Amino acid sequence: MWINLIQILMSLALILISCEFFTNGIEWLGRKIGVGDGVVGSIFSAVGTCLPETMIPIIAILFLGEDKKSVDVGVGAILGAPFMLSTLALFVVGVGVVLFRSRRGSMALNVNSDIVSRDISFFIVAYSVGVTTAFINIRFIRVIVSAFLVATYIYYIILTVRRDSVNHGYLDKLYLTKILGFKNNVPDILLQIGIALAGIIFGANVFVTNMETVSEYIGITPLILSLIVTPIVTELPEKFNSIIWIARKKDTLALGNITGAMVFQSCIPVSIGILATPWRLSSHIIVSSVMATLSAATVYFWVEDKGKLNLVPLFAGGAFYALFIVSLFIKG
């Protein structure tokens, strides 16, 4: 089993490194095509850091889908990511505010309430529709729901682009330029993006295969393992960015980094799961979905009522996550 654990860690390292290369390449592509930091940060980079959670279920379902365990890993990863983002990730941001209170000068949060409310509302609608579809075993309706989720994310992108402003700030060199002396032209940028995607796909394949072996050895179902472990590990780069922004009092960026990923994860991966799997959700996943929705709704209604965000709804996310963990032990 130790060999499997080592391979899991190595595959995760490959996935995260590949995502770093992907994000760097996407940022340069955004620069070359003339879009602003809003689109690059909220859409391009967010998608890049979401790729591990997206590619793992795609590999598990589309390429290893004949095995029920692979499907369980895929479904767990699909719904585990938005669950973790809407509960534990929000809690981590709250903890960051407390830890950096001296540097920040206070524990007050200064966020764009309109952006937070908009992102959370998109998430609640898309996520709720996706989960509810599990109770509708009609193929035609599922196809419609899947198309609706994709259209929802496209509309979200349109809204983001409309409010975008071009800002040519500092951008680190293309990694292929730093390492191998390549030029920062479009072909080299696309080459780096392609190499990064290949690394992500290979790493995801190795991860899924070894996750099944480990889960059998320790007696935990692949679905539960992927529902809890995979999102936490693969989301680390995104959470690290949010903590840095919290320390620098860039609260809107910190929250937007999470809520933007929540929208993506509730639309694109869920639409794939609905189309490519039987989409029958276990009681554990249903409970996690309820906790995720309640946590997101707490943030939404708090912001709508107070006109601002503070630590209370963020720490509530940690409480909802803890309740889910407790429910796992109660159900055995």
Side-chain angles (χ1 to χ4, degrees):
M1 186 189 72
W2 290 110
I3 294 178
N4 298 112
L5 290 174
I6 292 173
Q7 290 181 351
I8 286 175
L9 293 176
M10 291 178 65
S11 66
L12 285 173
L14 176 60
I15 290 171
L16 297 179
I17 291 171
S18 298
C19 282
E20 177 67 25
F21 273 72
F22 177 87
T23 300
N24 174 256
I26 285 293
E27 288 176 346
W28 268 107
L29 183 62
R31 174 69 62 88
K32 290 293 184 180
I33 65 178
V35 298
D37 289 346
V39 171
V40 173
S42 300
I43 299 176
F44 289 0
S45 293
V47 171
T49 54
C50 286
L51 273 177
E53 300 90 313
T54 305
M55 292 308 302
I56 286 173
I58 288 176
I59 294 296
I61 292 169
L62 299 184
F63 295 93
L64 303 172
E66 295 181 358
D67 185 355
K68 181 182 180 299
K69 294 175 183 177
S70 297
V71 174
D72 285 344
V73 170
V75 173
I78 285 173
L79 293 177
F83 163 65
M84 193 279 293
L85 286 166
S86 59
T87 56
L88 188 60
L90 293 176
F91 173 75
V92 168
V93 169
V95 171
V97 172
V98 175
L99 291 177
F100 293 104
R101 60 186 181 277
S102 298
R103 181 183 299 183
R104 291 168 55 86
S106 72
M107 290 194 293
L109 282 159
N110 181 24
V111 300
N112 187 320
S113 300
D114 293 335
I115 292 177
V116 173
S117 294
R118 183 199 67 189
D119 288 3
I120 295 294
S121 62
F122 267 89
F123 169 77
I124 291 175
V125 171
Y127 192 63
S128 299
V129 169
V131 172
T132 303
T133 307
F135 301 98
I136 305 174
N137 194 22
I138 301 175
R139 179 67 178 177
F140 176 71
I141 293 179
R142 291 191 173 189
V143 171
I144 292 177
V145 170
S146 183
F148 166 76
L149 293 177
V150 174
T152 298
Y153 190 69
I154 292 174
Y155 180 55
Y156 172 78
I157 291 175
I158 292 173
L159 290 181
T160 304
V161 171
R162 284 179 177 175
R163 300 177 183 180
D164 188 41
S165 59
V166 177
N167 176 22
H168 297 293
Y170 172 76
L171 179 58
D172 196 8
K173 289 182 179 180
L174 189 72
Y175 288 154
L176 286 184
T177 300
K178 295 178 66 174
I179 299 172
L180 301 175
F182 282 40
K183 297 179 180 179
N184 281 26
N185 53 31
V186 173
D188 290 344
I189 292 170
L190 294 176
L191 175 61
Q192 176 170 310
I193 293 173
I195 293 173
L197 283 173
I200 292 168
I201 292 172
F202 178 77
N205 202 339
V206 174
F207 179 89
V208 170
T209 302
N210 286 278
M211 178 75 79
E212 294 174 8
T213 303
V214 172
S215 66
E216 287 181 355
Y217 185 85
I218 63 179
I220 297 178
T221 64
L223 186 148
I224 297 300
L225 201 58
S226 63
L227 181 64
I228 299 174
V229 177
T230 304
I232 292 177
V233 176
T234 55
E235 285 281 0
L236 282 178
E238 202 170 324
K239 306 294 87 55
F240 185 66
N241 287 339
S242 292
I243 293 298
I244 291 174
W245 279 324
I246 283 293
R248 297 175 180 174
K249 300 182 67 173
K250 297 181 178 180
D251 299 344
T252 297
L253 283 174
L255 265 297
N257 190 39
I258 293 173
T259 57
M262 287 167 59
V263 177
F264 175 83
Q265 294 287 9
S266 63
C267 291
I268 305 305
V270 171
S271 68
I272 295 173
I274 291 173
L275 285 180
T277 74
W279 203 240
R280 298 187 185 96
L281 308 183
S282 70
S283 59
H284 293 308
I285 289 185
I286 296 298
V287 172
S288 73
S289 302
V290 170
M291 295 301 172
T293 305
L294 289 174
S295 180
T298 300
V299 175
Y300 177 79
F301 287 113
W302 188 280
V303 172
E304 288 293 304
D305 181 56
K306 308 291 185 180
K308 60 182 180 180
L309 185 65
N310 62 22
L311 295 180
V312 175
L314 298 182
F315 284 147
F320 285 117
Y321 186 84
L323 284 175
F324 172 70
I325 299 299
V326 171
S327 74
L328 293 181
F329 287 99
I330 293 176
K331 293 184 178 183

